Amino acid sequence: MSQLFFGYFAGMIVITSILVVALRNPVYSALSLLVMFFHVAGLFITLHAEFLAAVQIIVYAGAILVLYLFVVMILNVTQDDRYHSQWRIAGVVCIPLFIESLLLLSGGAGAVNTGSRSLQSGPYDAIPTDNTLAIGKTLFSTYLFPFEVASLVLLVAMIGAIVLAKKDIGQRET
Amino acid sequence: MIPISYYLILSAIVFLTGVVGVLIRRNIIAILLSVELMLNATNINFVAFSDHLQDLGGQVFVFFALTVAAAEVAVGLAIIIALHRSRSTINVEEFNLLKW
């Protein structure tokens, strides 16, 4: 049953991520990215990360993608006539990497499984059933300093976005 | 139980799709969407290993990656708007100010 779910989510993620790159209209690209975000959230649920699935839908699908769609609508972009001339470089970079990763992973699957068994035999903290509670405790105890730094990152991004997109600053100088 | 290598293969495919998108698209918004694809591929990896190793640190790092992604989108879209205001295009081949 879990393999059925994984197959569905993985297939949809791969198809929609290829559509993001292949579709020429940016609005259609953004909408297929939306479908991909929902399926990644489903994959997170099968991996017992319910809090992250909710955050994925709220932040990615709810905030980031809406921001993209706003900008696409504001700028009134026409679709690309053709792809960039760098597609040969892209093929040269990616096709060997892809084949290599497939070979490594298919060859190393047994080694990975034995490694996991040795890891899981040792004592470890099991992920509790209440995922949100556990993440909150970890976030505010072990990772408290990175959490504060993340708030600083958000502040800098907010100020930077306002300064960059404000119309008066560039026009006053000219 | 799904082996961890399946998640790695899925994440590698999505990441390479993002790399191809960054390299071949001309629309700068589509390039940013491809960067989002790459970030999601790393998130899949983090959560898969978090479940595999029974360690919550991976999920916390997905949380931080999400924060950085939101900041990147805000600043990136502001740069795109500023560029569109000065050049009135978003085709990356028109932006050659820093080329020599």
Side-chain angles (χ1 to χ4, degrees):
Chain A
M1 195 63 186
S2 66
Q3 283 168 354
L4 187 71
F5 276 118
F6 175 79
Y8 168 69
F9 286 130
M12 284 300 286
I13 286 170
V14 169
I15 289 171
T16 48
S17 63
I18 288 173
L19 279 182
V20 169
V21 174
L23 287 176
R24 310 226 162 173
N25 195 332
V27 180
Y28 294 159
S29 289
L31 288 180
S32 60
L33 193 67
L34 176 72
V35 178
M36 185 214 160
F37 285 157
F38 275 105
H39 284 87
V40 170
L43 199 66
F44 284 175
I45 288 180
T46 64
L47 284 168
H48 311 291
E50 293 89 3
F51 175 71
L52 280 183
V55 166
Q56 170 94 8
I57 289 178
I58 291 169
V59 174
Y60 264 120
I64 292 181
L65 213 69
V66 172
L67 208 58
Y68 272 114
L69 284 177
F70 264 125
V71 171
V72 171
M73 301 292 178
I74 284 175
L75 298 186
N76 194 15
V77 264
T78 54
Q79 50 194 0
D80 295 355
D81 43 354
R82 59 194 174 87
Y83 292 127
H84 200 278
S85 54
Q86 275 175 338
W87 62 269
R88 289 182 198 85
I89 304 175
V92 168
V93 168
C94 288
I95 290 172
L97 270 178
F98 180 63
I99 295 170
E100 188 178 353
S101 62
L102 276 189
L103 281 179
L104 276 177
L105 288 172
S106 61
V112 168
N113 280 338
T114 54
S116 77
R117 237 172 265 129
S118 68
L119 264 176
Q120 285 183 351
S121 63
Y124 60 88
D125 295 335
I127 293 181
T129 49
D130 196 345
N131 182 248
T132 311
L133 178 70
I135 283 187
K137 279 182 177 168
T138 312
L139 192 62
F140 288 112
S141 59
T142 313
Y143 296 98
L144 184 61
F145 183 65
F147 184 74
E148 303 287 343
V149 174
S151 70
L152 189 69
V153 168
L154 283 179
L155 178 70
V156 169
M158 191 167 65
I159 296 173
I162 292 172
V163 168
L164 281 172
K166 204 169 182 305
K167 209 169 205 171
D168 298 336
I169 293 175
Q171 286 183 345
R172 203 185 304 140
E173 294 169 354
T174 55
Chain B
M1 192 61 198
I2 294 149
I4 190 79
S5 55
Y6 287 11
Y7 290 101
L8 290 182
I9 291 173
L10 170 68
S11 164
I13 291 173
V14 175
F15 191 88
L16 286 179
T17 313
V19 172
V20 170
V22 168
L23 284 176
I24 72 170
R25 291 304 296 262
R26 299 174 160 219
N27 191 331
I28 196 165
I29 290 180
I31 289 177
L32 270 185
L33 287 177
S34 305
V35 174
E36 293 296 321
L37 278 185
M38 291 196 264
L39 284 169
N40 262 281
T42 58
N43 284 355
I44 292 172
N45 250 351
F46 268 131
V47 177
F49 272 106
S50 161
D51 186 58
H52 184 69
L53 302 176
Q54 300 287 311
D55 186 358
L56 270 179
Q59 299 190 17
V60 174
F61 268 96
V62 172
F63 195 74
F64 292 138
L66 221 119
T67 312
V68 174
E72 170 247 335
V73 167
V75 176
L77 289 179
I79 289 175
I80 288 176
I81 287 179
L83 275 176
H84 185 264
R85 197 174 285 143
S86 69
R87 289 296 183 91
S88 69
T89 180
I90 54 167
N91 189 338
V92 284
E93 294 194 332
E94 308 281 332
F95 302 136
N96 48 11
L97 265 174
L98 291 180
K99 264 188 187 171
W100 49 276

